Amino acid sequence: MSGKGNKSMWGGRFSDKPDEFMVEFGASLDVDIELLDVDIQGSIAWVAALEQAGILNDEEVKILTAGLEDLSETLKIELEEGTFIFDHSLEDVHMTVESRLIDHIGDVGAKLHTGRSRNDQVATDERLYLLGAIDSIKAYIRKLQQAIVNQAEQHIDDIVPAYTHLQQAQPVRLGHYLMAWFHMLQRDIERLKDTRKRTDKMPLGSGAVAGSGFAIDRKLLAQKLGFSDITENSIDATSDRDYIIETISASSILMMHLSRMCEDLIIWSSAEFGFAELSERYSTGSSMMPQKKNPDSLELVRGKTGRVYGNLMAILTVMKGLPFSYGKDMQEDKEPLFDTLKTVTGCLRVMTGVIEEIVFKTERMEAVFDDSVFATDIADFLTKKGIPFRKSHEIAGKLVKWSKEHGKPLKHIPTEVLKKHSELLNEHMVNIFDFKKSTDRRSLAGGTGKASLQEQIEHAKKILLQGGDV
Ligand code: ARG
C-alpha cells in the first residue's frame, strides 16, 4: 500500500514516505476494526461536544454528524459484503474513519479531530467496547448458572461420592456438588462487575497526554456516551490499560473454573467412572476407533484456558516497564483482549449446552461407593456419645483397617468385633450406613443436607431471577 494515509495525517513534518513493510508492520486496522461502532459513536459525541464548546457551528455539526452516520452504515455494509479495503497506510480504525469521512463530506471532515488525540480516543473506544462486552459475558455466565441450577434441582435426592485427593471422601448430594460450580461462577460475575465499575470512566478530553486544548464539558460528553463518570488525570487516562488487564484476569479465573468443571466431567464420562453421559451433540467420534465417543467440547474448553492465560501474560508484559504516558507498544493490547472475549464467550456457550444436555448416571454413582466413606460418620457417632474426637477418629480408623484386612464392608463388621473396639458401637449404628441420612447429618448452612441444599438452590434462583445483580 502507498503511504497516502500517513501523508495526509502527519505529512507536514515528514518529507520521506514510510518504508513499505513498516506500513504493514505498524497497522492495526485488521484487529481494531472491531472498535468501529464505538469509534463512530465516540466521534459523534465529540462533534456535539465541540459545538457546545463553540468550536464547530451548527452547519458543520450537521454535516459531520450525518457524515459519520452514513459512514457507519456504509462501512458495515462493506464489511458484511467483504468489499471493505483494509488500507494499511491508514494504520488503524481511527484514521480510517477520519479519512473515509473526509472522502465522504470534504474538508469539514478535517475538523473532526480538533482537540482530540488517538491516545484519548483509543482509550475511550476500548472502555466503551468493554462495558458492552462485560455485560455480554455476564449474561452468558448467567445462562450457564441457570443450566447448573436446573440440573441441581433435578438431582437433590441423588448421591455421589465427593472426592478429596481424587479419593472417595464422603457422600454428598449430586445437587450440592453441581451447585459448587454455580458459586464459583457467581464470584466470576462479581469480579467482572467490579472491573466494569473501574472501566466505566471516560478518558475522552485527555488529549495526547496533557488534556485537550479546548474547553470541552467532559461530564456532559461522558453522559452522552453512557459513561457514569470521567477520568481525573489525563496522563493516567491515556497511559493505563489496567481495565483490559483486569478483564483478562477475571476471564482467566473464569476459564480456570470452567476448566475444572471440564476436568470433572471428562473423568466422569470415562468408562471407569461412568458417572455422566455427554450429549452426542457435544461429543465427537474417532476417525479410526469406531467405538469412541470423545468429550471434545470439554477438552477444548480446558485447552483454551491456556490461550486466555497466555493473553494475560502478553498484556501484562506489554505494559510492564512502559514510561509514562502512551507508547505504541499499547497497540498490542487489542489482540489479547478480543481473543479473550471471543474465547470466553465461546466456552461459556459450549459449557451451557453441555450442562443442559448431560445425563448423570446416578445408579452408577451409588454403585461405586466404598463404604469406608462412612468412617467419618462412625467417628462423629462416637463423638456425639462423649468420646473425644481424636479417640473416635482412631477407633473408626481401626474399623476401616479391620474391614480392609478382612475384605468386609464396614456395615458388615460383626457385632462382637465392633464391641471390641468400643462398647458404644451398637445396633443404632445401622443408620450410619445410609447415604441420604449421612448427608442430612450435614444440614447446617452450606452443608450437603437436603434442607440446606434446597435453601441454597432457592437463593440461587432468586439471584438469577433478579438478573443476577445481587
Ligand atoms: N492504534 C493506536 C493504538 O491502538 C492508536 C493510538 C495511536 N497513538 C499514537 N500516538 N500513535 O494504540
Side-chain angles (χ1 to χ4, degrees):
M1 294 277 165
S2 75
K4 176 192 91 179
N6 299 32
K7 203 87 193 124
S8 61
M9 295 296 171
W10 54 69
R13 192 230 176 275
F14 286 77
S15 41
D16 211 354
K17 281 211 293 196
D19 172 79
E20 223 173 286
F21 180 65
M22 180 56 210
V23 173
E24 294 297 321
F25 187 73
S28 59
L29 181 60
D30 300 17
V31 175
D32 60 27
I33 190 70
E34 184 68 23
L35 296 172
L36 180 66
D37 275 351
V38 284
D39 193 74
I40 293 190
Q41 224 178 302
S43 286
I44 291 175
W46 184 245
V47 166
L50 288 175
E51 180 185 29
Q52 226 241 336
I55 296 141
L56 294 177
N57 65 38
D58 196 36
E59 187 55 24
E60 289 167 330
V61 170
K62 276 198 191 119
I63 299 171
L64 281 161
T65 307
L68 283 163
E69 282 166 356
D70 281 355
L71 189 61
S72 168
E73 288 309 307
T74 314
L75 292 180
K76 261 183 223 160
I77 293 169
E78 285 179 19
L79 283 163
E80 262 168 38
E81 293 179 348
T83 54
F84 178 79
I85 293 167
F86 287 84
D87 180 352
H88 289 167
S89 70
L90 292 169
E91 223 180 275
D92 56 23
V93 66
H94 323 293
M95 297 219 291
T96 300
V97 167
E98 193 183 342
S99 158
R100 290 285 303 260
L101 183 70
I102 296 169
D103 289 348
H104 182 49
I105 62 173
D107 281 351
V108 63
K111 294 199 170 190
L112 173 67
H113 210 52
T114 310
R116 191 176 68 169
S117 156
R118 280 185 297 155
N119 295 357
D120 58 351
Q121 190 180 358
V122 69
T124 304
D125 286 6
E126 288 181 324
R127 284 180 186 251
L128 203 51
Y129 182 91
L130 258 183
L131 294 182
I134 290 175
D135 287 343
S136 154
I137 290 180
K138 271 167 51 191
Y140 279 113
I141 300 179
R142 286 286 169 234
K143 284 189 191 150
L144 177 54
Q145 283 184 308
Q146 184 66 61
I148 291 170
V149 170
N150 293 347
Q151 284 281 10
E153 245 192 326
Q154 282 171 43
H155 294 289
I156 291 179
D157 283 320
D158 295 309
I159 305 293
V160 64
Y163 294 79
T164 63
H165 313 269
L166 200 53
Q167 308 288 322
Q168 286 193 13
Q170 290 184 294
V172 293
R173 287 173 183 268
L174 176 54
H176 187 58
Y177 197 122
L178 301 177
M179 283 303 290
W181 298 344
F182 174 93
H183 294 288
M184 59 192 198
L185 292 170
Q186 185 57 27
R187 289 190 299 280
D188 289 320
I189 290 214
E190 283 163 18
R191 263 182 287 276
L192 286 167
K193 273 169 59 183
D194 201 49
T195 300
R196 195 186 188 285
K197 260 191 277 169
R198 281 180 290 280
T199 306
D200 191 10
K201 292 188 170 32
M202 185 200 71
L204 203 54
S206 300
V209 61
S212 176
F214 299 81
I216 301 294
D217 183 343
R218 294 186 62 220
K219 290 233 157 155
L220 191 70
L221 177 56
Q223 240 177 37
K224 279 218 175 100
L225 280 173
F227 281 102
S228 305
D229 210 345
I230 56 173
T231 53
E232 287 187 59
N233 180 303
S234 60
I235 303 170
D236 171 50
T238 49
S239 278
D240 213 342
R241 294 292 183 265
D242 54 358
Y243 43 93
I244 292 182
I245 296 174
E246 280 193 42
T247 304
I248 305 182
S249 164
S251 299
S252 298
I253 299 175
L254 166 63
M255 288 302 297
M256 177 271 291
H257 285 151
L258 296 184
S259 186
R260 290 191 68 183
M261 286 173 68
C262 289
E263 176 66 12
D264 263 8
L265 293 175
I266 290 166
I267 295 176
W268 284 16
S269 313
S270 66
E272 288 75 5
F273 267 74
F275 286 6
E277 182 76 41
L278 206 60
S279 142
E280 287 190 4
R281 295 177 355 114
Y282 292 97
S283 313
T284 52
S286 153
S287 54
M288 195 191 97
M289 299 166 282
Q291 86 285 8
K292 287 301 288 290
K293 183 180 164 204
N294 297 328
D296 282 28
S297 48
L298 298 165
E299 292 169 289
L300 278 172
V301 172
R302 191 177 55 183
K304 283 175 191 288
T305 304
R307 165 199 281 267
V308 175
Y309 291 2
N311 289 337
L312 179 61
M313 237 358 94
I315 182 70
L316 280 169
T317 312
V318 164
M319 296 307 293
K320 176 189 176 297
L322 279 192
F324 282 85
S325 57
Y326 178 84
K328 187 73 165 202
D329 319 44
M330 282 150 80
Q331 182 163 281
E332 287 296 308
D333 61 355
K334 287 164 209 69
E335 266 176 291
L337 174 64
F338 297 148
D339 183 68
T340 297
L341 297 173
K342 186 172 161 227
T343 304
V344 165
T345 304
C347 290
L348 286 166
R349 286 179 61 180
V350 164
M351 286 307 284
T352 305
V354 167
I355 298 292
E356 275 169 352
E357 297 183 21
I358 201 163
V359 174
F360 294 108
K361 305 287 195 185
T362 53
E363 278 176 22
R364 169 79 183 159
M365 288 174 176
E366 273 208 30
V368 301
F369 268 106
D370 173 338
D371 89 335
S372 61
V373 293
F374 291 116
T376 310
D377 295 78
I378 296 176
D380 287 353
F381 174 86
L382 291 170
T383 303
K384 279 176 192 159
K385 296 203 176 293
I387 310 270
F389 179 72
R390 274 292 148 235
K391 185 75 194 149
S392 313
H393 185 285
E394 191 191 333
I395 296 170
K398 283 186 173 150
L399 289 174
V400 172
K401 189 164 184 247
W402 191 94
S403 100
K404 299 281 173 210
E405 279 168 7
H406 293 80
K408 278 206 163 96
L410 284 176
K411 69 170 162 232
H412 293 144
I413 298 182
T415 321
E416 57 288 5
V417 177
L418 291 177
K419 296 268 182 225
K420 242 190 267 166
H421 285 82
S422 167
E423 275 305 313
L424 296 165
L425 295 173
N426 54 29
E427 60 285 355
H428 295 304
M429 266 183 70
V430 291
N431 279 336
I432 289 181
F433 304 109
D434 179 302
F435 293 122
K436 285 189 189 133
K437 284 187 183 143
S438 166
T439 65
D440 288 338
R441 281 189 285 272
R442 292 164 177 83
S443 280
L444 77 172
T448 192
K450 182 165 185 164
S452 332
L453 175 55
Q454 278 168 329
E455 213 172 290
Q456 192 188 153
I457 291 177
E458 281 322 303
H459 184 224
K461 280 160 79 176
K462 216 181 280 166
I463 292 176
L464 290 172
L465 255 182
Q466 291 169 4
D469 281 324
V470 190

